[in-house]
Each structure stands twice: as structure tokens, then as C-alpha cells.
Amino acid sequence: MASAAWQEETVVLRCFDGTEVTAPARLAAGRSGLVAAAGGGVRVVEVPGNVSGAVVAAVVTYWEARAAVAPSASASAEEDRDAAGFDGEFVRGLTHDERIDLIHAAHYLADEGLFSIFS
């Protein structure tokens, strides 16, 4: 089980291009299997694959915006609809190349939720 300090802290996602993207640790661990597998004591997580820092930053921005729409696992039906609407709008606003980059990032970050919105 994660400590309270881990839940309040940040984790750095280090990309192949040297970019380091900071994310709230609890949010990142809840969304990313890669971060969750690293455990609470790890402050820097190496992102595998050729996922650029710009794409990882976009993923973290998505995580934060999505969490604001449906902030808990026990979300109400209305919050679930809001979140589904958010995902739909998010996908509609992407170019083909942006979608491919995000699918690639979702795969390497092991973010099943992000990955599934593209299927």
C-alpha cells in the first residue's frame, strides 16, 4: 500500500529525449501501470520506447483534466457521463498523428484507460 507521502508527492517521467515530465504521484500511479509497478519509493520512472517528452506532457495534462471531470473511482453516473463526454471531446480534437503518439504513449505507460478511448 502506498504511503501518504507518496500520494502527495510527484513522480518524474523521464523520456528518451531527456525531457523530464513531473506528475502528481498518486494520479500517475493510478493511471499508469508503469508508475504503479515502480512503487512509492521511486521518484523517477524511465519511460520505455521512443515516447517524446512532449507526448508524455500531453498525457499528464490529459490525466489532470480527466481527474477534474471524474475525480474518484466511485464516481456517480453523472460524473461517468461527464467523463465519457470529456474523452469524446478530447479524441475529436486530435489529429491523426497526435492520436498515434498518444496510443504509443498509453501502451508504454501501461495506461489502459487512455488506450481504451481509442478503440
Side-chain angles (χ1 to χ4, degrees):
M1 177 167 212
S3 70
W6 165 246
Q7 294 174 354
E8 296 171 3
E9 294 180 7
T10 59
V11 64
V12 174
L13 302 170
R14 185 178 296 142
C15 306
F16 84 98
D17 60 4
T19 303
E20 294 183 342
V21 179
T22 302
R26 186 172 78 188
L27 177 62
R31 293 290 313 209
S32 170
L34 176 70
V35 175
V42 176
R43 302 265 181 158
V44 177
V45 175
E46 301 289 337
V47 179
N50 290 331
V51 183
S52 74
V55 174
V56 171
V59 169
V60 171
T61 299
Y62 166 78
W63 288 346
E64 292 171 336
R66 181 66 157 68
V69 174
S72 69
S74 60
S76 69
E78 183 177 340
E79 288 173 322
D80 285 342
R81 282 191 301 277
D82 290 346
F86 175 85
D87 288 344
E89 287 298 315
F90 175 75
V91 170
R92 274 190 287 285
L94 299 173
T95 67
H96 174 76
D97 289 346
E98 290 169 332
R99 289 177 189 211
I100 298 301
D101 287 342
L102 288 171
I103 290 167
H104 186 206
H107 169 72
Y108 282 106
L109 290 167
D111 181 348
E112 292 298 323
L114 178 57
F115 196 79
S116 71
I117 68 172
F118 294 102
S119 57

